[in-house]
Amino acid sequence: IATKVSQAGLQVVVREISSERAEEVKARLAAALDHQIERWALTQSEKKATLSRIEFTAELDKATSCEVVIETIHEDFEAKRALLAELDALLDPSIPVIVNTSTLSITELAQGLAHPERIVGMHFLYPVTTTRVVEVVRGQVTANEAFELVRKFARILGKVPIEEFESPGFVTTRVMLPLINEAIQVVMEGVATAAEVDLCMKLGYDFRLGPLEWADRIGLHKVHNWLDHLFQETGDPKFRPCPLLRKLVRAG
């Protein structure tokens, strides 16, 4: 996300939990840009320009200089809620706070904050730097001003913002997860190998990635957690994680 925002010509502050972690993330980002250079997708001068617009820090106070704040921590409700409370107390009420999530409730996360109307959901699809769409999600009390500013921000990034009202899994996650779950079920039943299932979907439906390759790239543990969350939230059996998925995650 930091790379995408910087490549749009905007200044970025990346705040990490420690100075050591901030340096580690800076090195990983530089390595990712080097990988793009190797694939002829980027030049050395573009890499230099991208990094020059990103500041890495361990100080949360740096967020006060920003016009938009995006939280991108792991998909854990309590952790996100705690961070939002910190940001709500720190930032001017006019600054929108974007929650980067694929399954959690924007309304529930905003509950109890002094300024819940500034909380907007935003789901960036993997890989962030190349996918064209981003889901922009309204909570129950999200203000029109905050929502429109975030939608304008998405367009500056070159994304097509899809306006959505809060619902478990939004659109992309809700539609994609049952497909992945069923693909794993097909493999578990011995109908076809994982490679053949992916090839079938890629050639048959023009998928750029097969559902199982996509799941591997995202991380099976994340797919499992999302499915489990939606199953608990909705009670719908289509979201119950396939036993093979559970087994693979437990095996690491």
Side-chain angles (χ1 to χ4, degrees):
I1 294 173
T3 300
K4 186 64 180 175
V5 176
S6 176
Q7 288 174 340
L10 305 177
Q11 296 294 128
V12 188
V13 175
V14 174
R15 184 264 180 166
E16 262 297 347
I17 55 173
S18 67
S19 299
E20 294 76 19
R21 176 68 178 164
E23 286 301 314
E24 179 188 330
V25 169
K26 183 178 180 180
R28 283 174 56 190
L29 195 151
L33 293 174
D34 284 335
H35 181 61
Q36 288 189 45
I37 291 171
E38 290 170 9
R39 295 189 295 110
W40 300 90
L42 201 71
T43 66
Q44 281 289 352
S45 58
E46 286 171 333
K47 173 194 171 183
K48 187 175 180 181
T50 298
L51 289 175
S52 71
R53 287 188 289 266
I54 304 176
E55 176 187 353
F56 295 85
T57 182
E59 299 171 25
L60 190 61
D61 287 358
K62 292 277 188 178
T64 57
S65 66
C66 299
E67 294 178 58
V68 174
V69 172
I70 311 173
E71 73 75 26
T72 61
I73 66 174
H74 55 289
E75 197 84 335
D76 178 273
F77 180 86
E78 294 303 331
K80 283 187 186 287
R81 183 75 177 270
L83 178 56
L84 289 175
E86 281 189 85
L87 289 169
D88 195 49
L90 181 68
L91 302 171
D92 186 274
S94 65
I95 299 174
V97 177
I98 295 169
V99 176
N100 179 40
T101 180
S102 56
T103 56
L104 298 179
S105 166
I106 309 303
T107 301
E108 198 174 357
L109 284 167
Q111 192 177 15
L113 300 181
H115 303 285
E117 72 284 349
R118 64 150 121 212
I119 307 299
V120 183
M122 211 169 184
H123 179 212
F124 290 91
L125 272 69
Y126 175 90
V128 176
T129 52
T130 57
T131 47
R132 295 182 57 212
V133 73
V134 65
E135 296 177 285
V136 185
V137 187
R138 290 180 182 271
Q140 288 295 318
V141 297
T142 300
N144 286 334
E145 295 79 10
F147 185 86
E148 288 304 324
L149 198 153
V150 171
R151 188 152 64 169
K152 180 182 176 183
F153 172 64
R155 290 197 181 102
I156 290 171
L157 300 185
K159 302 279 188 185
V160 177
I162 305 298
E163 179 177 0
E164 298 174 11
F165 293 89
E166 183 181 307
S167 177
F170 312 137
V171 173
T172 55
T173 304
R174 181 174 172 177
V175 172
M176 191 64 177
L177 285 179
L179 175 65
I180 293 170
N181 210 31
E182 191 62 25
I184 298 172
Q185 183 76 25
V186 166
V187 173
M188 186 181 77
E189 291 175 8
V191 177
T193 65
E196 295 283 88
V197 169
D198 272 358
L199 187 61
C200 189
M201 299 305 292
K202 286 163 76 174
L203 298 183
Y205 292 96
D206 287 335
F207 283 25
R208 190 168 59 85
L209 300 177
L212 299 175
E213 181 185 356
W214 189 87
D216 271 339
R217 290 194 181 197
I218 291 294
L220 294 185
H221 61 298
K222 289 184 181 179
V223 172
H224 178 274
N225 289 345
W226 294 339
L227 279 166
D228 206 39
H229 176 79
L230 289 181
F231 180 52
Q232 297 300 326
E233 188 80 13
T234 66
D236 195 323
K238 71 185 174 199
F239 295 119
R240 186 168 56 223
C242 173
L244 177 58
L245 175 60
R246 290 188 187 278
K247 189 183 293 185
L248 290 169
V249 171
R250 285 171 180 162

